[in-house]
Amino acid sequence: MNKFWKAVTVTGLILSSLFTIPTAQAKSKDNGQPGKILYIPQDNRPISNKQTAEVIEKLGYEVIVPPNDMLGSRDDLGDPEKLWEWLTLTTEKDKTIKAAVISSDSMLYGSLVGSRKHDLDEHTISTRAAKFQDFRKEHKKLPIYVFGSIMRTPRSGAASGHEEPEYYRSYGADIFRYTELNDKKEIEGLNRREKKEYDFLQKLIPSKALSDWMGRRSKNFNANKKLIDLAKSNTFNCLLLGRDDNAPYSQTHLESRHLQTYGKDLDKTKYQAIAGIDEVGMIMLTRAINDKTKDIPFVYVHYNWGRGGDTIPAYSDEKISDSIDSAITAAGAMKVPSPERANVVLTVNTNPNGKTYEAMVPLNDAKDREGTKYFADIVSDYVNKGYKVAIADIAFANGADNALMEQLRNRGLLFKIRAYGGWNTATNSTGFVLSTAMLTDKMSDAAVDDLLLTRYLDDWVYQANVRNIIARQLTWLRGDGWYGDLDGKKDVVGERTTKMLINFVDNNLPPFEGSEKLLVTFPWDRMFESDILRGDEVVKEMDKNTLHNRLSAAAKQ
């Protein structure tokens, strides 16, 4: 590897992936030409925006996305009015767009984070929702797929990642418990002790904070009802609402139950509320393509032994088998009872005990655990029989299972499967990898390998390994900043992470073209997610930072 690139350190940047492979030139069925799909993501995170669009682009489609500065971020809640204007102008100018996949959170609140922190009144939100009707009238034949969120209920202030109002840092755990009891009260009732706790929490949580949080949720709930009404009137080809981080008893679960009742007359192919949120854009894009090409992929699902499909993962309120079945339907596919008929064999790596751990815990140390070799045998057997295998790696949340990855590497299976996912929550991983796997039939092997490498470098190299090491070192690294806001630590964190990533890649992944130009940014100025830059993107990022530094220096003079 070129020494210059090994040594490079750019403010806020860290090393990650590149695999310079030509984009697959799969064609749509419209006169053999690739199509254009308009996509408005829920924010500008790489997984929501860039990495999701990349999968579709591997098919030869042109994905039209709003400018990055129009999309919301962690600190910028976004601008719905600009997005509506962009949507109107773009579709007026280009009549060749084949489908529109749109985040309702972006169009109503500005972004996913905006849906949690906005100060909008209900009239404004309702007026924006009604714009979907006007858009449909202007584009009667355009397939429109909309996805949105049922607001999450983080278990604590720490779990909220500072994406909730300020008071959630102090009272987040109490608010979660309050809604947990409220949901349980509706479903099965509370015992005497729980009733006392419920009354105590109502007094403990500041009324102003609880009123603000529940008031915003009420607006979101009513907006989702409006979206369901639009689905009933055929404004949308499909509406998919994702239950953001939640639990079997929680406010998110409660609202989803009520919305399910409200939309009970709609077929599941028309409207669903599913567990998860960050993957739903990918699911809806896959649905748009499957509808456009009139494909109905057949999916066979095989779980690890033990609890398997009955596992209720962390951050979810239902069995993972139910979540996967819902995602299959939402993406326009069909579950089949045997692998012989399947276009995709989805293997799901769960822990036999049914528990989901965090990828950053000591248990994720690459040593074989109960079920590791058994699951690797399952994958190996399907691959050897010639099936198109995908792996949903959900034994750990927020990163890959190191023991499994060791098995895949040692058995030479890393690039013999068709798709992999092991990032963020279990439903994020399963929905994303399932959708990707359905589309690989239309991709070249080189494009498939490219997408696999992206996930390995992100989910395995960075999330499950390098990030953990750097996070433990943050307190003694120079500069101000912490895991959730790197601030003055960007330079030193970038330097150390670059070295560790290079070392891990050299020791664990096969050589690949372009490995001398690997770079990743911290797009939200925190370590939770990374952005993979490839080839010319690396040079552009360096040029951008050089220009920024020159302008800053000139301004100081």
Side-chain angles (χ1 to χ4, degrees):
M1 187 176 290
N2 187 294
K3 291 183 179 179
F4 170 77
W5 286 102
K6 280 195 173 187
V8 69
T9 302
V10 180
T11 301
L13 304 179
I14 60 175
L15 173 78
S16 199
S17 78
L18 169 66
F19 195 26
T20 307
I21 299 173
T23 297
Q25 294 302 311
K27 306 297 183 182
S28 72
K29 291 185 177 180
D30 291 353
N31 302 318
Q33 295 297 318
K36 293 181 182 179
I37 295 181
L38 182 143
Y39 174 51
I40 299 181
Q42 60 199 2
D43 52 44
N44 66 7
R45 283 174 300 162
I47 194 65
S48 305
N49 182 11
K50 173 184 171 182
Q51 291 179 10
T52 293
E54 179 188 25
V55 176
I56 308 306
E57 289 167 348
K58 293 297 183 188
L59 300 168
Y61 289 90
E62 179 182 350
V63 182
I64 304 172
V65 183
N68 198 63
D69 57 6
M70 263 190 204
L71 300 172
S73 64
R74 184 181 65 166
D75 300 318
D76 181 355
L77 301 187
D79 191 330
E81 297 305 326
K82 285 185 179 179
L83 285 173
W84 276 112
E85 182 180 359
W86 178 87
L87 175 63
T88 300
L89 292 175
T90 302
T91 50
E92 283 179 355
K93 290 180 180 178
D94 194 340
K95 301 301 183 181
T96 66
I97 294 171
K98 304 300 182 182
V101 179
I102 303 171
S103 162
S104 62
D105 289 322
S106 290
M107 308 312 285
L108 302 185
Y109 317 106
S111 63
L112 181 61
V113 175
S115 73
R116 305 166 184 162
K117 301 177 75 171
H118 69 83
D119 292 316
L120 300 168
D121 59 68
E122 193 146 357
H123 174 74
T124 298
I125 298 169
S126 179
T127 300
R128 288 173 178 168
K131 289 185 177 183
F132 280 114
Q133 288 177 299
D134 298 331
F135 184 69
R136 165 54 74 200
K137 290 176 182 177
E138 293 297 320
H139 304 280
K140 292 181 174 62
K141 295 183 179 181
L142 179 69
I144 301 172
Y145 303 83
V146 171
F147 63 97
S149 67
I150 301 172
M151 285 180 67
R152 68 178 185 169
T153 312
R155 287 185 174 272
S156 65
S160 73
H162 296 264
E163 293 173 20
E164 298 287 334
E166 187 70 23
Y167 54 75
Y168 211 87
R169 299 188 191 185
S170 302
Y171 294 97
D174 299 317
I175 291 173
F176 172 83
R177 179 58 176 164
Y178 170 78
T179 72
E180 183 179 33
L181 292 172
N182 196 41
D183 190 17
K184 187 178 181 183
K185 181 176 68 170
E186 277 197 11
I187 296 173
E188 60 184 78
L190 303 178
N191 60 36
R192 185 176 179 182
R193 180 190 62 78
E194 289 170 334
K195 288 178 181 177
K196 287 185 176 180
E197 184 182 6
Y198 184 74
D199 292 338
F200 172 75
L201 288 170
Q202 284 183 300
K203 297 175 183 177
L204 174 68
I205 303 168
S207 59
K208 185 177 180 180
L210 189 59
S211 175
D212 176 78
W213 197 72
M214 295 300 289
R216 194 173 290 106
R217 298 197 70 98
S218 176
K219 295 172 187 177
N220 176 263
F221 180 80
N222 290 334
N224 283 334
K225 287 176 66 177
K226 175 68 173 176
L227 294 175
I228 293 172
D229 288 337
L230 293 174
K232 290 178 180 179
S233 66
N234 294 316
T235 299
F236 311 136
N237 290 62
C238 182
L239 170 66
L240 187 60
L241 295 179
R243 297 194 295 276
D244 206 350
D245 295 353
N246 65 101
Y249 290 116
S250 65
Q251 188 66 22
T252 307
H253 180 254
L254 182 152
E255 291 166 3
S256 180
R257 288 191 295 104
H258 287 256
L259 289 170
Q260 196 66 35
T261 300
Y262 190 77
K264 68 181 185 305
D265 296 332
L266 287 168
D267 188 83
K268 284 187 176 181
T269 60
K270 192 77 173 179
Y271 161 69
Q272 278 194 92
I274 68 172
I277 185 61
D278 291 342
E279 77 281 10
V280 293
M282 183 71 240
I283 293 174
M284 281 290 88
L285 281 165
T286 303
R287 170 64 177 277
I289 289 174
N290 283 335
D291 284 354
K292 177 177 178 292
T293 58
K294 296 181 172 56
D295 287 337
I296 303 177
F298 288 173
V299 180
Y300 176 71
V301 185
H302 192 142
Y303 298 91
N304 201 358
W305 77 276
R307 295 284 294 175
D310 289 331
T311 297
I312 300 178
Y315 310 102
S316 183
D317 61 357
E318 66 181 11
K319 296 187 297 183
I320 190 61
S321 59
D322 291 338
S323 298
I324 289 175
D325 289 351
S326 294
I328 290 172
T329 300
M334 181 181 296
K335 187 179 177 182
V336 293
S338 65
E340 290 80 13
R341 298 181 58 203
N343 302 100
V344 174
V345 173
L346 179 69
T347 58
V348 187
N349 179 36
T350 52
N351 288 307
N353 63 8
K355 295 183 179 180
T356 305
Y357 305 101
E358 290 293 325
M360 297 175 76
V361 301
L363 180 66
N364 195 16
D365 59 4
K367 296 178 182 178
D368 286 335
R369 303 183 316 283
E370 188 178 23
T372 303
K373 290 182 178 178
Y374 180 88
F375 183 77
D377 287 342
I378 292 172
V379 174
S380 182
D381 183 56
Y382 282 128
V383 169
N384 291 335
K385 289 179 178 178
Y387 293 110
K388 295 182 177 179
V389 182
I391 297 176
D393 187 3
I394 61 171
F396 294 89
N398 299 309
D401 179 346
N402 280 314
L404 172 62
M405 301 311 292
E406 286 278 312
Q407 286 286 332
L408 297 179
R409 185 195 63 190
N410 294 339
R411 298 182 187 212
L413 292 170
L414 287 173
F415 292 95
K416 290 183 179 179
I417 62 174
R418 302 295 288 179
Y420 170 87
W423 58 277
N424 219 334
T425 70
T427 53
N428 291 162
S429 292
T430 53
F432 196 94
V433 69
L434 175 66
S435 299
T436 302
M438 289 180 193
L439 301 176
T440 58
D441 270 352
K442 305 177 182 71
M443 296 180 193
S444 70
D445 289 342
V448 171
D449 288 347
D450 196 14
L451 294 175
L452 283 169
L453 188 63
T454 294
R455 296 268 56 86
Y456 293 152
L457 287 164
D458 195 341
D459 307 357
W460 180 27
V461 180
Y462 179 69
Q463 293 188 38
N465 290 280
V466 174
R467 178 176 62 173
N468 189 18
I469 297 170
I470 297 297
R472 293 199 302 266
Q473 298 176 353
L474 280 175
T475 55
W476 52 267
L477 293 178
R478 64 179 179 271
D480 296 325
W482 59 290
Y483 181 89
D485 188 356
L486 290 173
D487 196 19
K489 292 184 183 288
K490 281 184 180 180
D491 286 351
V492 65
V493 169
E495 181 178 357
R496 295 183 69 85
T497 306
T498 296
K499 293 177 181 178
M500 289 182 186
L501 277 166
I502 291 173
N503 184 62
F504 195 100
V505 167
D506 287 346
N507 291 330
N508 292 278
L509 286 171
F512 53 90
E513 183 182 355
S515 60
E516 74 280 3
K517 291 184 180 180
L518 306 176
L519 211 58
V520 168
T521 67
F522 296 122
W524 280 20
D525 294 329
R526 63 184 187 184
M527 292 195 67
F528 185 73
E529 62 268 296
S530 61
D531 183 17
I532 300 167
L533 301 178
R534 304 180 171 214
D536 291 341
E537 286 184 313
V538 178
V539 178
K540 289 178 182 178
E541 187 67 29
M542 294 183 67
D543 289 343
K544 184 177 74 175
N545 279 271
T546 299
L547 177 61
H548 173 76
N549 292 337
R550 288 176 179 172
L551 291 173
S552 297
K556 290 178 181 178
Q557 293 176 358

